[in-house]
Amino acid sequence: VWFQPQYDYQTKAYTGAEALVRWRHPHKGMISPGEFVPLLEHSSLITRVDRFVWEKTCRCLRAWQDAGIAVPVSVNISRMDLCQPDLPETLTELVRQNGLAPSQLRLEITESAYVDKPDRLIAQVNQLRDAGFSVEMDDFGSGYSSLNMLKDIRIDVLKLDMKFLSGGEESRGRQIVQSVVDMAHRLDMRVIAEGVETAQQARELTALGCDAMQGYYFSRPLPPEELEKILRAAGAQAPQPAPAAMMPS
């Protein structure tokens, strides 16, 4: 499990991180999640991997908390996880065992979960939020169900993928982002932009009211020990862009 930090460009502070699964094969090296996660999603194995990520993340959160570092971390909740009726109890017990508050573990769901079983998703999200967890909608704008989902489900954070704005006119893209941010704030939701790669994007997103952002401009995904070093050293200064070798091509 690696972590990509999230950053408030206006206050120059790290506000959280997202847990991401990585596979370091002994012979093939690092294998992209895009190669193996879709395969796992077609079987029950994805629930085992998700549970592994949740457990590892909670252990890291506990270690960081003991070291005086307090940042919330987002973990993925797959469609198959949401089919488990005991999901709220499982997550509540997991944070309890590690001496954490539910608010330290943020839960990311996707729009596709709403398409599959909307009633079950609504019930699960309500239980999770009642238990103290923060619920985030990942990849907002990538599917047709976004607005229906926001109407029916109480969401705390929208995660806006910058890729869905690519390929069009810049002015139209900015207007879309501004509209999404304004709508989210009226509904008492925060907005986190993913895939931020340049200083110009970061400045524009801040001007449009985006609350936090993550991407290669701030940091690539990091092993937990490297993220801990960054969080320990974090001060008032903005992070430097990632070295060219780490930037996406």
Side-chain angles (χ1 to χ4, degrees):
V1 178
W2 285 20
F3 300 90
Q4 187 170 38
Q6 297 164 343
Y7 192 73
D8 185 325
Y9 197 72
Q10 186 169 7
T11 64
K12 312 304 182 189
Y14 290 99
T15 58
E18 179 182 359
L20 301 165
V21 67
R22 291 291 183 266
W23 183 359
R24 283 191 278 196
H25 192 279
H27 305 297
K28 297 181 179 181
M30 191 70 75
I31 300 177
S32 167
E35 296 185 44
F36 64 87
V37 168
L39 299 175
L40 297 174
E41 288 177 336
H42 289 289
S43 72
S44 60
L45 290 175
I46 190 63
T47 61
R48 294 173 59 184
V49 173
D50 287 341
R51 180 61 185 258
F52 168 79
V53 172
W54 303 344
E55 292 176 348
K56 176 68 173 180
T57 297
C58 284
R59 289 198 295 270
C60 289
L61 281 168
R62 180 70 225 187
W64 296 335
Q65 179 174 287
D66 292 342
I69 300 170
V71 293
V73 174
S74 304
V75 295
N76 183 66
I77 306 295
S78 70
R79 287 176 290 176
M80 293 195 68
D81 296 326
L82 290 163
C83 290
Q84 307 299 318
D86 61 346
L87 177 65
E89 291 78 9
T90 297
L91 290 167
T92 297
E93 179 62 17
L94 186 59
V95 295
R96 187 197 65 79
Q97 289 175 352
N98 286 276
L100 303 171
S103 58
Q104 293 174 262
L105 192 69
R106 296 174 175 171
L107 311 178
E108 287 192 13
I109 61 176
T110 60
E111 297 173 80
S112 58
Y114 179 84
V115 176
D116 289 346
K117 297 184 182 295
D119 292 340
R120 176 174 290 174
L121 177 61
I122 292 168
Q124 289 280 45
V125 167
N126 287 339
Q127 290 184 56
L128 290 166
R129 292 185 81 251
D130 289 344
F133 293 100
S134 176
V135 177
E136 306 177 343
M137 183 196 290
D138 197 19
D139 296 331
F140 179 77
S142 62
Y144 66 86
S145 64
S146 299
L147 295 179
N148 279 334
M149 191 172 178
L150 291 183
K151 175 176 66 70
D152 295 334
I153 301 176
R154 294 183 297 161
I155 299 293
D156 300 290
V157 177
L158 288 186
K159 299 199 75 178
L160 185 65
D161 193 329
M162 294 300 293
K163 288 186 294 187
F164 96 97
L165 294 177
S166 62
E169 298 180 26
E170 288 189 16
S171 61
R172 290 176 63 85
R174 284 194 293 271
Q175 290 174 13
I176 292 172
V177 173
Q178 183 72 77
S179 298
V180 170
V181 172
D182 290 345
M183 175 189 66
H185 288 168
R186 290 193 195 101
L187 295 173
D188 295 323
M189 293 184 289
R190 297 174 63 250
V191 178
I192 298 177
E194 299 181 281
V196 179
E197 298 179 1
T198 67
Q200 181 178 350
Q201 287 180 337
R203 289 192 296 267
E204 288 183 353
L205 287 165
T206 300
L208 293 172
C210 192
D211 300 290
M213 52 197 79
Q214 67 185 82
Y216 274 73
Y217 173 65
F218 301 104
S219 173
R220 73 193 193 283
L222 302 168
E225 59 274 11
E226 290 189 29
L227 176 61
E228 180 176 346
K229 291 178 183 178
I230 284 181
L231 295 175
R232 283 181 178 276
Q237 299 299 314
Q240 297 300 310
M246 298 176 183
M247 296 294 285
S249 58

